[in-house]
Amino acid sequence: MADAANAGPTPPGTHKDPVTGEMISKTELKRREKQRAKEAAAAAKAASAPQPAAGSAKAAAEKEDDLNPNQYFELRSRQIQKLRQTRDPDPYPHKFNITKSLTHYVEEYGPEGIIKPGEKLKDVTVSLAGRIHNIRASGQKLRFYDLHGEGTKVQIMAQAQDAASAEEFLSTHSHFRRGDIVGVTGCPSRTQKGELSISPSSMVLLAPNLHQLPKEHFGLKDQEQRYRKRYLDLIMSDDTRRIFITRSRIINYIRKFLDNLGFLEVETPMMGILAGGATAKPFVTHHNDLKLDLFLRIAPELYLKELIVGGLDRVYEIGRVFRNEGIDLTHNPEFSICEFYMAYADMYDLMDMTESLVTGLVQHLTGGTKITYHPDGKEPKIGPDGKEIKPRELVLDFQRPWKRYDMIETLEEKLGVKFPPGDQLHTPEANKFLSDLAEKHNVECGHPRTTARLLDKLTGEFIEPLCVSPAFIVGHPQIMSPLAKYHRSRPGLCERFEGFMCGKEFCNSYTELNDPFDQRERFEEQMKQKAAGDDEAQGIDETFVNALEHGLPPTGGWGLGIDRLVMFLTDSTNIKEVLLFPAMKPETGGPAAPTVVPSTEPAH
């Protein structure tokens, strides 16, 4: 926890509620404490009252369900505090030996015929562990629990007659609540209705849940709370779990694909004196010992190309980059990318590799080459007439080859105009032509209205929406790509492609610029754009230019936005759905400065 000294001064005349964390008046705090003391006394009295006869467990559960979250937390906390003092049992034991995972248990004993309805395998003993989601009591000597873990469920059918100590059955099961993590030892069984279960001889509390678990029927519906409390979202939602398992499978597939082609995975610095390798606004941090401001990286590109110069002919990195830009449905300030660089390859080789990688990945995940994506979300909406409107569906076909759109030629076709020659796009006349074109078609472009930014906005308006199934946009002008090599047959253009699907970019690739004289000129042009007010333009990286002066072989470079790709392949419309811990605004204002949490990691 953060040190209290870092929390900032308490506003005059206010006090912090120890339960809710709110800043309230002294009078209001006293009123709440008095009310809580009254509720605590009533709860303690109810807890110490003798157990009613049949149905007591069900009645007690219903009574607890009627408590508000704060009341439940206080009651449950007192119960667990008492167990912590008496150690009868210890509510936080050190270890529980499991003999099977829930998944393996279902695989081994779930198939029909292994256990007949109403029977038990009394000569088999297994130990399972998981989280209780539902509790159902049928009298005092029979309890049913739904034990969840690893994305699956096993029913616990606890009967007093099966318990190691029938006398302690009631007291043992009085400790369990929804959300608790428990260990179960018993024999595989099946109910009369045929549901796979475990009949326990013993159950032990491994970690109590002090808070009310949301009802399974309703789940955790508050989207913001799902993102802020991802642990609770994962507890309650199998769909959320599926998304992040799929994300892991996607990253694993990409890594294996590159490894099999002889690529070497490397790591490059997260902080540097310059922010290069992409056109984006960086985050700034400060190194105290060096007394130096540093940038969090916006891309690992320049470091990776320096490794190609050094003779590591095929390198890749999968990791985080940071861009100090807006947050929306498809952008998060820190996100995951994969970049690779391949000596003696060009953009045409890499287009073939991209098709092979992504189409193979889709086949690996789905068994086919088509997926369905809901760009407006999967939930139906209610129209003005009160009728339900089915969500819009897009069918994405990953079958090779993918469609290719030439940027200038497609814009000329869509807008009915002839663009200036590629080698004239850097002139003021070309800039005015594009600016007038954007105004004519109501395409917004904020200042600075550079030629590169105007072309990007026009492409976003007229070409990107055409790319529903995966497609490539090619034929970029050089002024849009300061790190790409000039086109071998089209003056003024460069060898670059961008991969799009559902109208959104997911990858970017160049035949890399390896001429140090040309590279220096392009960096200088970027410096002019930065001086004109473009915060995203790059500076001159003298170390990188020096590396090029030692000789960079003809090289193809490629970058993939992993989060964006995961969104499309998991049918998610919000990038927060595919990030375990997305960037969120503070709920009620944050501290004046970031607090430092003491590390429990070993020194390095």
Side-chain angles (χ1 to χ4, degrees):
M1 291 180 64
D3 193 312
N6 293 325
T10 303
T14 63
H15 290 68
K16 188 173 183 178
D17 187 317
V19 174
T20 66
E22 297 172 277
M23 301 306 297
I24 56 177
S25 68
K26 186 176 181 180
T27 303
E28 173 64 11
L29 180 60
K30 283 186 175 181
R31 187 194 69 76
R32 292 187 184 186
E33 287 176 339
K34 186 176 180 180
Q35 178 64 24
R36 285 174 185 149
K38 189 175 179 181
E39 290 172 354
K45 183 177 180 181
S48 61
Q51 289 283 346
S56 61
K58 186 176 181 180
E62 290 175 351
K63 190 171 183 180
E64 286 186 356
D65 285 344
D66 292 337
L67 299 176
N68 66 42
N70 285 340
Q71 291 171 332
Y72 183 92
F73 176 77
E74 291 183 16
L75 175 62
R76 185 67 170 145
S77 295
R78 284 195 300 274
Q79 293 168 348
I80 300 306
Q81 289 283 26
K82 184 176 180 181
L83 291 181
R84 290 178 69 234
Q85 293 169 1
T86 62
R87 303 284 177 178
D88 184 25
D90 181 356
Y92 298 100
H94 289 73
K95 173 70 175 173
F96 178 80
N97 290 310
I98 62 171
T99 59
K100 282 190 186 301
S101 67
L102 296 188
T103 304
H104 289 155
Y105 185 84
V106 172
E107 288 174 354
E108 184 168 348
Y109 299 109
E112 190 175 347
I114 302 294
I115 308 174
K116 295 179 181 179
E119 290 190 356
K120 303 172 185 175
L121 301 183
K122 294 184 178 180
D123 56 340
V124 178
T125 300
V126 295
S127 293
L128 309 177
R131 189 182 294 273
I132 294 172
H133 274 230
N134 283 317
I135 302 175
R136 302 175 300 282
S138 181
Q140 294 195 62
K141 296 186 178 183
L142 177 61
R143 303 279 178 91
F144 293 97
Y145 303 88
D146 288 342
L147 189 68
H148 285 240
E150 307 151 35
T152 191
K153 182 197 84 167
V154 170
Q155 179 175 261
I156 302 171
M157 182 171 60
Q159 295 175 287
Q161 66 188 38
D162 296 325
S165 174
E167 296 77 19
E168 296 179 3
F169 181 84
L170 285 177
S171 62
T172 297
H173 288 269
S174 69
H175 299 310
F176 304 134
R177 300 291 185 276
R178 293 181 64 246
D180 289 352
I181 297 174
V182 299
V184 190
T185 298
C187 62
S189 62
R190 198 176 285 277
T191 65
Q192 292 288 355
K193 292 184 178 180
E195 183 170 357
L196 177 65
S197 305
I198 180 172
S199 296
S201 57
S202 66
M203 280 181 68
V204 59
L205 183 62
L206 302 179
N209 181 10
L210 304 182
H211 296 271
Q212 282 178 322
L213 207 60
K215 293 290 186 183
E216 288 231 327
H217 178 71
F218 300 103
L220 186 61
K221 297 297 185 183
D222 188 319
Q223 191 177 62
E224 186 160 315
Q225 286 303 309
R226 288 180 50 237
Y227 302 148
R228 292 186 187 280
K229 298 181 178 180
R230 184 64 84 186
Y231 50 89
L232 188 56
D233 186 25
L234 287 165
I235 289 171
M236 298 303 301
S237 172
D238 286 338
D239 192 49
T240 298
R241 179 186 179 87
R242 177 190 61 80
I243 287 173
F244 290 106
I245 289 175
T246 302
R247 179 189 176 100
S248 181
R249 292 178 65 197
I250 289 170
I251 294 172
N252 191 41
Y253 184 92
I254 294 169
R255 182 172 273 120
K256 285 184 177 179
F257 180 91
L258 295 173
D259 288 345
N260 289 338
L261 290 175
F263 281 80
L264 178 69
E265 185 172 10
V266 298
E267 295 176 308
T268 61
M270 287 282 186
M271 298 182 293
I273 297 173
L274 292 173
T279 303
K281 188 174 181 180
F283 284 96
V284 182
T285 187
H286 185 77
H287 195 298
N288 291 334
D289 194 41
L290 295 179
K291 297 180 175 60
L292 186 68
D293 282 344
L294 297 172
F295 296 107
L296 297 184
R297 71 177 184 185
I298 56 175
E301 176 170 343
L302 304 187
Y303 287 113
L304 294 174
K305 284 193 279 192
E306 288 175 24
L307 296 178
I308 299 287
V309 172
L312 300 179
D313 286 350
R314 297 185 179 192
V315 294
Y316 75 95
E317 181 170 7
I318 295 175
R320 291 282 197 175
V321 293
F322 309 86
R323 299 184 182 179
N324 198 355
E325 299 169 345
I327 300 174
D328 58 30
L329 290 177
T330 58
H331 293 87
N332 195 69
E334 59 172 311
F335 57 98
S336 297
I337 63 164
C338 172
E339 284 199 14
F340 74 72
Y341 293 83
M342 184 177 182
Y344 314 110
D346 64 12
M347 65 170 280
Y348 302 103
D349 298 316
L350 269 50
M351 273 198 276
D352 289 340
M353 283 181 63
T354 302
E355 289 182 350
S356 176
L357 167 63
V358 178
T359 300
L361 171 59
V362 171
Q363 290 173 323
H364 172 69
L365 294 174
T366 68
T369 59
K370 292 183 179 180
I371 64 171
T372 301
Y373 184 74
H374 298 86
D376 307 317
K378 290 173 276 191
E379 298 297 325
K381 294 179 172 56
I382 304 300
D385 57 358
K387 293 183 179 179
E388 186 175 277
I389 303 173
K390 289 184 178 181
R392 186 162 59 103
E393 290 187 354
L394 299 177
V395 176
L396 281 60
D397 189 351
F398 290 81
Q399 187 69 44
R400 302 174 65 186
W402 298 354
K403 192 168 181 61
R404 302 180 182 189
Y405 295 95
D406 184 276
M407 181 181 289
I408 300 300
E409 291 177 1
T410 308
L411 285 176
E412 288 179 336
E413 178 188 333
K414 293 294 179 183
L415 301 176
V417 296
K418 184 68 178 175
F419 274 57
D423 56 2
Q424 298 298 313
L425 286 172
H426 66 285
T427 63
E429 292 77 14
N431 180 270
K432 185 177 187 308
F433 168 80
L434 292 169
S435 185
D436 292 344
L437 199 60
E439 288 184 15
K440 178 182 176 181
H441 293 278
N442 298 314
V443 176
E444 293 184 8
C445 180
H447 290 283
R449 293 170 69 86
T450 62
T451 300
R453 283 169 55 84
L454 287 163
L455 279 167
D456 184 61
K457 297 297 183 182
L458 288 167
T459 300
E461 185 72 24
F462 295 103
I463 304 180
E464 292 174 9
L466 304 176
C467 306
V468 177
S469 289
F472 295 123
I473 296 178
V474 299
H476 296 68
Q478 279 182 251
I479 54 175
M480 297 181 73
S481 311
L483 296 170
K485 196 174 182 72
Y486 63 87
H487 201 283
R488 64 194 76 180
S489 61
R490 301 173 68 184
L493 304 187
C494 64
E495 297 202 350
R496 174 188 180 187
F497 72 82
E498 293 177 288
F500 279 79
M501 67 177 87
C502 298
K504 301 292 184 182
E505 179 192 357
F506 69 92
C507 75
N508 189 21
S509 177
Y510 312 143
T511 299
E512 296 296 335
L513 179 61
N514 62 344
D515 180 340
F517 303 100
D518 192 353
Q519 182 66 79
R520 183 176 291 279
E521 289 175 4
R522 296 204 200 178
F523 275 152
E524 288 172 352
E525 177 60 32
Q526 286 278 300
M527 290 296 288
K528 290 178 184 177
Q529 293 183 21
K530 185 177 282 289
D534 189 350
D535 291 336
E536 297 183 350
Q538 301 178 47
I540 298 177
D541 189 326
E542 293 291 351
T543 301
F544 176 66
V545 175
N546 183 264
L548 293 187
E549 291 168 353
H550 284 76
L552 173 69
T555 297
W558 182 89
L560 167 76
I562 289 175
D563 309 312
R564 189 79 59 84
L565 181 63
V566 173
M567 286 178 63
F568 298 136
L569 299 187
T570 59
D571 198 7
S572 303
T573 55
N574 190 333
I575 194 171
K576 288 183 171 68
E577 295 289 350
V578 302
L579 298 173
L580 281 168
F581 301 102
M584 303 288 290
K585 291 181 180 179
E587 288 188 272
T588 53
T595 55
V596 178
V597 181
S599 175
T600 58
E601 295 296 315
H604 55 83

